Amino acid sequence: MSSALSINTMFTPTPTQADDLPPFQPIRIATRNDPSSVWGFKHWLHEVQLALANLNLLAVISHGIQRPTPQHLHYENWLKWSRFIGHWLVCNVAERNAAVIHSVYPRLQFADEMYHCIGHLQLTEEDTIRRAEFNKLWSMTRHQFHTLHDYISAWGAHAMFCAQFNPNLNWYAVTKMVLGEVKEEIPDLYNFIDYQIRTGDTSCKQFHGHLTGILDALKKRT
C-alpha cells in the first residue's frame, strides 16, 4: 500500500501554466489606471492580475509556475494565450517602459517574462522616487521658509507623504527631529511630547497628533 502511494506521488505531474486554461480566443483586458504615472503604474499591474484571474488566465503571467513543454497536451493553447497577453502587456504599458523593454529585453516573447520585467521596471521607478522624496525630506532646512511654523508644517507633511513609501518609518526619529526645531520656542510642549515618546510607542497617528499640537502652539505665538 505504501509503495503504491509512493509511486503515485512520484509521478504526480508538475503544475504548469497550461493547465486548466480556457480555449484561446482574443479578449479585451479592461484596466482603468494610467500606467504612465508611478502610482497608476503600480495599480495598473494589480488590475492586470485581477482581470486575468477573473478570466482564469492568471497562470499565464505567473513567473513562479512552470511553462509547459511542447509535449504538453495543451501547449498550443497556452502558447497562443501567452503570446497574446505578452503582446497586450507591452502595447498597453507606458510608452517609455515599452521602449525600455524593447531595447533591453528584445527577445521576450512569453507573457510571464514580460509581466515580470514590467513589474521590475515599476519597482525600479518607485525606488528612484522613494530615494528622491526622502532626500528632499532630509534636505529641508529652516532658512528655506519664512516662519518656523511654515517649516515644521511642510516638513511634517512631507514626512507623512514619505510614509507611503516606507510603512516602517521611524516615527520616534521623525518626532525627535521636529522637537529639536521647537525646543527653544515652546519648551513646555517640547518636554511634554519628549516625555511621551520616550516612555511609550510612537506611530504615524501619534506623530500627526504631536505635529498638530506643535503647529497650533507656534501659530499662537505669531
Side-chain angles (χ1 to χ4, degrees), residues 67-116:
R67 293 179 200 147
T69 64
Q71 291 73 37
H72 193 286
L73 181 63
H74 304 297
Y75 178 80
E76 289 299 325
N77 186 54
W78 165 82
L79 186 61
K80 291 176 183 177
W81 276 122
S82 186
R83 286 177 173 171
F84 176 85
I85 294 172
H87 178 73
W88 181 91
L89 286 169
V90 78
C91 288
N92 285 273
V93 75
E95 186 175 345
R96 67 177 182 278
N97 290 324
V100 170
I101 291 169
H102 282 308
S103 59
V104 179
Y105 310 105
R107 299 184 183 277
L108 294 186
Q109 58 176 320
F110 300 126
D112 63 336
E113 57 189 1
M114 187 70 71
Y115 187 82
H116 179 74

Side-chain angles (χ1 to χ4, degrees), residues 17 45 48-49 52 57-64 85-86 89 111-113 115-116:
Q17 295 178 11
L45 287 169
V48 171
Q49 284 190 10
L52 294 180
L57 293 169
L58 183 59
V60 179
I61 63 167
S62 298
H63 205 244
I85 294 172
L89 286 169
D112 63 336
E113 57 189 1
Y115 187 82
H116 179 74

